[in-house]
Amino acid sequence: MTNIEKFETLTKKNFNLWAPTYDKGLLYKLYFQKLYQKILFGFEEYGRENIKLGSKVLDIACGTGEMLRHITTRFGEVEAIGLDLSEEMIKEANE
């Protein structure tokens, strides 16, 4: 197994374990929530003119789908597509 494969396997394992509490922990509240708010602000500025009904939005490394939920709530009928290495993150996103 190459170093990249080892890193991918370890990363996937850790995020699978983290998935159930990812959006509930202290790290989320202190760091990720603020980061997401900044990203969403930028997305709002860009999106006002560029995101129309029926647009497709791709979130790579979507985690639990938090960003996509905000985007679909704000912009209505857009096709939200989330990709993530972690199957457990995707399960959380689909709930």
Side-chain angles (χ1 to χ4, degrees):
M1 184 181 285
T2 67
N3 285 339
I4 291 173
E5 290 169 328
K6 289 177 187 176
F7 179 76
E8 182 180 324
T9 300
L10 182 60
T11 301
K12 186 175 180 177
K13 178 183 174 186
N14 287 332
F15 276 96
N16 278 337
L17 292 171
W18 194 11
T21 60
Y22 184 80
D23 295 335
K24 300 166 186 77
L26 185 60
L27 184 59
Y28 176 80
K29 287 180 175 60
L30 293 177
Y31 177 73
F32 290 111
Q33 192 172 39
K34 292 176 184 176
L35 175 64
Y36 291 167
Q37 288 171 349
K38 288 179 182 179
I39 292 169
L40 284 168
F41 176 77
F43 204 88
E44 289 262 343
E45 291 296 308
Y46 171 82
R48 282 194 188 116
E49 297 176 9
N50 297 294
I51 299 178
K52 312 285 187 250
L53 291 179
S55 293
K56 294 180 182 180
V57 178
L58 173 63
D59 184 354
I60 298 172
C62 68
T64 60
E66 183 75 13
M67 295 290 290
L68 290 174
R69 275 190 288 284
H70 286 289
I71 291 166
T72 56
T73 298
R74 170 62 179 90
F75 294 101
E77 293 184 27
V78 298
E79 183 178 349
I81 303 163
L83 300 175
D84 202 278
L85 177 67
S86 165
E87 297 92 355
E88 294 301 317
M89 288 287 192
I90 294 294
K91 284 181 186 175
E92 292 290 324
N94 286 324
E95 289 184 2

